Amino acid sequence: MENTKKTATKRKLQVIETEGVPKKTRVKKTKDSEKSVTEKQINKKVNKVLKKKTTDDESCEDTVPAFQINLTNKNWDEAKILSFEEKVPQELAERFITLLNEGCTLPFIARYRKNVVDYLKPDRLQELFESYQKVIQFTKKVKSVIETLKKSKKLTPQIEQSILNARNLSELDLLYAPLKSNSLSLAERARSLGIEPYAVKALNGENIVLHNLCNGEEELSTADKVESHITHIVADIIYKDSRVLTEMRSLKEQTRFIVQSSQTKSSTKEKKDENKKYDSKSDPETYKIYFDWKCPVQFVKSYQILAVNRGEDEKILSVKIVIPDWFYNRLERYCLTLWNSKHWVKKGLIDAYNRLIKPWLSRQVRSELTAAAQKEAVKTFTANLEKYLLTEPIKNRTIVGLDPGFKAGCKVGIINANGEKLDACTIHPDLRRYNVNDHAAKQLEEIITKHRVDLIGLGNGTACRETETWLKEHGISENIPVIIVPEQGASIYSISKEAQKEHPNMDPNLISALSIARRVLDPLGELIKVDPKNLGVGLYQHDIPPKMLETALDATVEKVVSLVGVDINTASQAMLRRISGLNEGRAKKMIAYRQEKGGFSTRAEILKVSGIGKITYQQCAGFLKVLTGSEPLDATIIHPESYGIAKLFAKKINVNIKELSRPHFPESVERKTANIDLIATSKDLDTDVSTLELIISAFKQKPYEDNVISFCRPVYSVTIQTTEQIANGTTLTGVVRNVVPFGCFVDCGVGDNGLIHRSNLGGNQTPKLGDRVSVTVIGTPKPKKLQLKLDKILN
């Protein structure tokens, strides 16, 4: 009997193809200076371009992430997988991974190492980084699965080989799911009965008599039970075969799946009982268009997937993936070429298909659709957020922020040109009727006169229109411009720990008014304090995993900061912590040092801050500006590592760096570099073209000029203030507050934002965030959602 088992095992090994199974799977933790053999080979190429930084005296906080997991199989080369997944040259993938392993952040790479990554745009670098994180996650998961199966004694050479041939988490799930449970899978139970050798024989075309395998035991008491057990073993052999998995990958790419949704019976019952409250968060009618809906996956829109997912979560919709018979027929035809028994291949495959492959396919298609939809939603979110964060600041003015309201009154917050609080209080204007002796009007006028206010920032929430009219009626806004400020998230920020830390023991309502004022003075610095879900500039933000949103916010803020730079002597902790290379702890220490020493006089002084070592300094220095220091280059985007080159270049074109902040300097550089040969000059200076381009760009940048107020024009239609005044054909003006794939949302000052569907843009270009537009109302269906048509984008 033992010989029979050995023979069967040999045959079984013949059934499952081997493709470079690694001898050992292990985790290799590396420090900054430790590299795998592959990395050393990569570094020989990359170090010709990169200037290697030593880290001998780094503090314990200043470390380089080391997240490689080295598997000896060539298929597990991380650069190779990244190259395959992202369709980039493998050499580029190698250089990119090396930069990450050296502690470089994406903003640093995008600005100061762009030549190493073939001048890829920041957005593309972000995609590569996210894909690399998935490669790391997948590698760790594979190791974890193998270790778990070893402990449970379920790991066989065949299973290990199948796992190592998986290319993503979904394929790993297909193989691992039946083995997760502590109880035996159907195939394992069948194997424990000792009939695996006969299953292998049957699959290879040998004749077996089922009755001869009946031995009186309960599990093998009849031919039908024996046949069932053999079928489960055959099914297990088939779907774990690496050739079958490869074929399934190929067929999946060719198959036209359909996503289909319908209304659940439970939500229908709830609708009939009008007095009963819905268990779900939404009214089922919200999902009416998805009650009988289907769409080929290649045509489905991202917002449709997120909508049906939410409907399914709320138990209003039932969603499924329709898999055409074509997939099974083609797979069966392929499997019949691998094994000799037509009967057992068909039996085993249909069992594997119904129990394992079909559910897995549905999960994978749904998962891919959701991942793509979330990615698109995040892309929409970050595109809007980036424009929102780059709202033009209005500097050097004393600003009053008004957070309007009816019952609770109007909250007033006044800040100086540095954003510091001057005053805060609550007034109670009579917004329902004109009162010539309104005490609140006199109170506000006195405050404005006392602090010499230059500008009014009015929140666009409840009572905004009425407060705007009230300011005009009492002549308060005659000589002081009024800016309508989006206030999404201001009230939520006002009750946050960060707000209480900034304004201890202060009424949250007054903090909200100060926040509105600061959104005019320093939009970037104020908006990053708000939870991204509450900024109102995205698409289905609440359906995106919070961590994914947080990562998107951080990446976008870092990208924006890399464009505008930050004054190290005035930046808030919230801003500093998002600078390339910094975190909460380091930002806190920088502020403590700033307060103790009275500010930073040079960039080099950053190295004196506890916890800031050479690597962190390298990553953050270029994004932190010292505007009034002894080194003129500290106020530019030029990195300290290139100061020597910048000074040589200034000498070469005969300009004085000490005059860098003077008005004539940019024009002088523009004139003297008009016909410069970048390649020849960079060689003369022993640098690369990208560094020279950055230096020239920094020299041409004009010194800071006071912003001209350009936001004080009328935003809303004066005659229309409430939804009750709106009818089809009404013309309105408003501001674009959110741009999404299917159109844009416009704030017309009447409560909820109206939608201009892309079909109603009239062939015009989609308006950008912040554009003023003239629109016509074309529908006011219930619930109150304005449907608009774009007339024109206003200047």
Side-chain angles (χ1 to χ4, degrees), residues 629-696:
S630 55
E631 172 56 75
L633 294 175
D634 282 350
T636 71
I637 61 171
I638 299 170
H639 198 281
E641 68 185 7
S642 301
Y643 279 6
I645 296 166
K647 289 173 182 177
L648 284 173
F649 178 68
K651 197 172 183 181
K652 190 177 183 69
I653 62 172
N654 195 26
V655 293
N656 187 351
I657 282 184
K658 291 181 179 178
E659 298 177 350
L660 194 145
S661 60
R662 296 187 183 176
H664 73 273
F665 192 85
E667 284 83 356
S668 178
V669 173
E670 182 79 49
R671 188 175 63 256
K672 293 181 178 182
T673 59
N675 300 313
I676 193 170
D677 185 333
L678 289 173
I679 296 174
T681 307
S682 62
K683 284 180 179 177
D684 288 346
L685 296 171
D686 193 24
T687 188
D688 54 81
V689 173
S690 63
T691 300
L692 181 58
E693 286 174 335
L694 186 140
I695 291 168
I696 294 172

Side-chain angles (χ1 to χ4, degrees), residues 493-626:
Y493 157 71
S494 68
I495 59 173
S496 68
K497 289 181 180 178
E498 191 163 353
Q500 293 303 317
K501 208 183 291 180
E502 197 174 351
H503 305 284
N505 304 317
M506 190 173 180
D507 181 356
N509 292 315
L510 298 180
I511 295 176
S512 180
L514 290 171
S515 180
I516 288 171
R518 289 200 185 102
R519 288 185 181 200
V520 179
L521 180 76
D522 181 15
L524 176 60
E526 194 63 24
L527 292 171
I528 62 170
K529 300 174 184 177
V530 181
D531 189 320
K533 294 193 296 292
N534 301 313
L535 284 174
V537 295
L539 171 71
Y540 286 97
Q541 297 99 305
H542 298 275
D543 295 321
I544 303 169
K547 184 66 180 175
M548 191 175 182
L549 258 188
E550 187 182 329
T551 302
L553 174 71
D554 288 343
T556 304
V557 172
E558 284 193 1
K559 179 182 173 184
V560 170
V561 168
S562 73
L563 288 173
V564 300
V566 166
D567 182 349
I568 192 172
N569 286 317
T570 60
S572 66
Q573 187 171 321
M575 180 73 83
L576 285 174
R577 72 181 180 186
R578 287 186 170 94
I579 297 291
S580 166
L582 299 183
N583 56 26
E584 189 79 46
R586 291 168 189 164
K588 196 173 182 180
K589 287 177 180 177
M590 289 183 84
I591 289 177
Y593 180 92
R594 185 172 79 191
Q595 291 170 342
E596 182 186 343
K597 303 292 183 182
F600 290 84
S601 57
T602 65
R603 275 175 171 167
E605 202 175 342
I606 296 170
L607 280 165
K608 294 181 181 180
V609 177
S610 171
I612 305 292
K614 290 182 179 178
I615 290 177
T616 298
Y617 177 72
Q618 180 199 45
Q619 297 303 305
C620 73
F623 307 110
L624 297 170
K625 295 181 180 179
V626 181

Side-chain angles (χ1 to χ4, degrees), residues 333-345:
R333 195 185 311 166
Y334 177 76
C335 289
L336 289 171
T337 66
L338 302 179
W339 292 281
N340 296 328
S341 174
K342 186 176 181 180
H343 169 78
W344 286 108
V345 166

